[in-house]
Amino acid sequence: MESLLVYPSAKVSISNPSFTSGRTILSGNRHFGPRDLSNSIRMSSGFFPLRCTNSPDNKEISSVAAAIYEYHTDELINAEEVREWESGKSINDIYAKQGITIRRSCRPAPPAGGGMIPRNILEQIIWDKEVEVTQFKQRIPLKEVDRMIEDASPTRDFLAALKDSYLRTGLPALIAEVKKASPSRGILRENFDPVEIAHTYEKNGAACLSILTDEKYFQGSFENLDKVRKAGIKCPLLCKEFIIDLWQIYYARAKGADAVLLIAGVLPDIDIKYMLKTCRELGLTALIEVHNERELDRVLKIKGVQLIGINNRNLENFVVDISNTQKLLENRIEVIQGKDITVVGESGLFAPDDVKFVHDSGVKAVLVGESLIKQEDPGLAIRGLFGKDISK
Ligand SMILES: O=P(O)(O)OC[C@@H](O)[C@@H](O)c1c[nH]c2ccccc12
């Protein structure tokens, strides 16, 4: 074998005999093995393929390598990002070339020279997430998450639930968000019972629910996701998380998610592609979030994308403008419909006119948090938002 791709976040144990499929490249111990290989795992965080040019000669390693090699499609192996990486470009330069302004700090092992200062809140959130995920992975290694998945109940079809609801009501399907707080708005609801809110949303016509799991900035938790899932809720659930590592996708599945959010402003194309593949294997729907034209155009080029969210909130400065949905869809709606992609209008929706506005722009679903969760009765709030009862 001439070359293989290794994900830097991979934790591979060469003496682990369970290396039979590509999935397991993410389990095991910290180091891959001999120096030539471990040298290629330079970043402790981040998610990026590296090509190791030395042929592994150890028999065990060869089988690992074969597993990894098999798992990558030509599309990933030949990705432009890989070539750029090989020619010595830094991960953040490669991100920037795709218009991604959010950098990776690669903490907790910062690059030499370190000392980076976050430029905005989203960057801060991502850097904190790098540390958090590393700790989570140490506490609950992927092998254990895999076991948890074996015991989890089957996933529900998130996308089909949105489509069914749209066909039934003729109005954008509602993804109602279970959200206690946000960095821009502070605490949204004092007496916050996620299960009770979820039941109310479901009873009042939500097609799907979105459960915030970020603790530090949104006061959410995977616990909440788990609780809602086990409370007899039928609506499919979106795990609302800042995903930067495959581990989080597996964990979301283990905790009852039916869908995960992938933010194009944070993830380069190669990560989105790889994560989409993982989602498909786990039976999860991926909601790919974009905020500007460049991100949308990037995502429209990726094969297999079925669900795109247009966030009206700029996560770097919190400015909300619902005309963003219209602006982005204006010249692209035919392409989107041609590919049978469903678009979700996200954030800043408060009144029937807002829903009508994004519907007229071409969305078939909406993602709503604040305007529902802030009201005494979030169920009544749904009627207020649509101007009618959408539960029948
Ligand atoms: O509360 P709002 O304005 O209705 O927004 C909901 C949802 O769109 C928002 O919470 C959101 C959209 N994308 C995100 C990414 C991370 C965290 C939160 C979000």
Side-chain angles (χ1 to χ4, degrees):
M1 179 172 314
E2 286 164 17
S3 64
L4 62 131
L5 284 161
V6 180
Y7 275 78
S9 54
K11 294 187 174 183
V12 178
S13 163
I14 55 160
S15 56
N16 184 340
S18 70
F19 277 113
T20 51
S21 87
R23 247 172 78 158
T24 46
I25 65 171
L26 289 155
S27 65
N29 303 326
R30 174 136 202 81
H31 289 292
F32 201 134
R35 257 208 326 274
D36 55 336
L37 288 178
S38 62
N39 190 30
S40 71
I41 310 178
R42 276 189 268 166
M43 289 178 297
S44 63
S45 177
F47 180 65
F48 204 82
L50 305 171
R51 201 188 289 266
C52 170
T53 46
N54 295 10
S55 285
D57 48 18
N58 174 302
K59 222 170 114 216
E60 266 180 316
I61 294 180
S62 293
S63 70
V64 176
I68 294 170
Y69 194 78
E70 252 174 46
Y71 191 60
H72 290 82
T73 61
D74 283 351
E75 191 187 23
L76 290 171
I77 289 170
N78 297 323
E80 198 182 331
E81 291 98 326
V82 177
R83 284 200 297 276
E84 289 175 335
W85 175 264
E86 283 172 337
S87 70
K89 265 203 168 145
S90 81
I91 183 169
N92 284 331
D93 285 343
I94 295 167
Y95 281 27
K97 238 192 95 194
Q98 293 188 18
I100 298 169
T101 56
I102 302 303
R103 298 163 302 166
R104 286 298 175 78
S105 79
C106 302
R107 283 190 296 163
M116 290 161 76
I117 297 165
R119 292 195 198 117
N120 57 55
I121 180 73
L122 181 56
E123 202 164 77
Q124 177 74 67
I125 292 174
I126 296 304
W127 293 6
D128 285 342
K129 198 56 78 182
E130 289 174 344
V131 177
E132 186 190 301
V133 171
T134 307
Q135 289 165 353
F136 251 120
K137 279 159 95 171
Q138 269 154 14
R139 259 199 358 251
I140 319 171
L142 193 79
K143 240 206 278 177
E144 199 174 321
V145 180
D146 261 339
R147 265 200 301 274
M148 290 161 72
I149 293 175
E150 277 168 28
D151 296 336
S153 41
T155 52
R156 294 161 198 193
D157 194 333
F158 192 89
L159 183 58
L162 296 180
K163 288 185 171 175
D164 288 351
S165 173
Y166 184 72
L167 283 177
R168 183 175 58 79
T169 66
L171 289 167
L174 174 64
I175 307 169
E177 188 153 276
V178 178
K179 179 185 195 180
K180 175 161 187 187
S182 75
S184 60
R185 301 280 199 256
I187 301 272
L188 294 165
R189 192 178 180 88
E190 283 294 349
N191 75 30
F192 180 82
D193 179 341
V195 170
E196 187 191 316
I197 295 163
H199 276 301
T200 310
Y201 280 158
E202 177 165 88
K203 212 173 81 205
N204 286 279
C208 297
L209 306 179
S210 161
I211 315 285
L212 253 315
T213 52
D214 177 78
E215 292 189 22
K216 182 162 182 189
Y217 294 92
F218 291 85
Q219 297 193 30
S221 66
F222 279 100
E223 217 38 62
N224 286 353
L225 177 61
D226 197 36
K227 269 198 260 175
V228 170
R229 186 64 209 251
K230 288 177 177 153
I233 300 280
K234 292 189 202 73
C235 286
L237 306 178
L238 169 71
C239 171
K240 197 65 159 335
E241 180 54 79
F242 295 88
I243 290 182
I244 52 170
D245 190 294
L246 279 190
W247 182 93
Q248 295 164 286
I249 299 179
Y250 287 96
Y251 195 58
R253 168 71 183 95
K255 289 291 186 180
D258 304 294
V260 293
L261 183 77
L262 302 178
I263 303 177
V266 168
L267 302 168
D269 294 354
I270 191 166
D271 285 5
I272 294 177
K273 287 173 190 166
Y274 199 83
M275 288 175 174
L276 267 174
K277 190 169 149 71
T278 302
C279 285
R280 273 195 293 274
E281 285 173 4
L282 292 174
L284 297 168
T285 299
L287 170 58
I288 307 186
E289 179 174 299
V290 300
H291 176 67
N292 58 39
E293 280 116 326
R294 181 136 185 215
E295 288 166 11
L296 180 51
D297 288 336
R298 273 178 51 211
V299 170
L300 287 175
K301 288 201 195 99
I302 296 175
K303 263 196 296 202
V305 172
Q306 294 177 297
L307 186 62
I308 296 178
I310 297 180
N311 198 351
N312 296 314
R313 179 178 292 109
N314 181 335
L315 291 173
E316 295 179 31
N317 59 21
F318 298 141
V319 172
V320 181
D321 176 5
I322 66 166
S323 67
N324 195 43
T325 298
Q326 186 192 42
K327 191 173 96 191
L328 266 61
L329 291 179
E330 230 160 28
N331 304 313
R332 296 174 183 82
I333 198 69
E334 275 152 33
V335 175
I336 288 169
Q337 282 166 351
K339 289 175 182 267
D340 194 25
I341 291 172
T342 301
V343 180
V344 184
E346 301 180 1
S347 310
L349 304 171
F350 286 84
D353 277 354
D354 298 339
V355 175
K356 181 173 184 323
F357 177 75
V358 291
H359 188 196
D360 288 347
S361 306
V363 313
K364 296 209 167 103
V366 288
L367 173 53
V368 186
E370 179 179 346
S371 70
L372 304 178
I373 204 95
K374 265 192 134 173
Q375 301 200 28
E376 173 90 36
D377 181 340
L380 266 185
I382 292 180
R383 278 179 234 179
L385 177 68
F386 285 87
K388 63 184 266 202
D389 181 356
I390 56 160
S391 68
K392 298 187 178 86

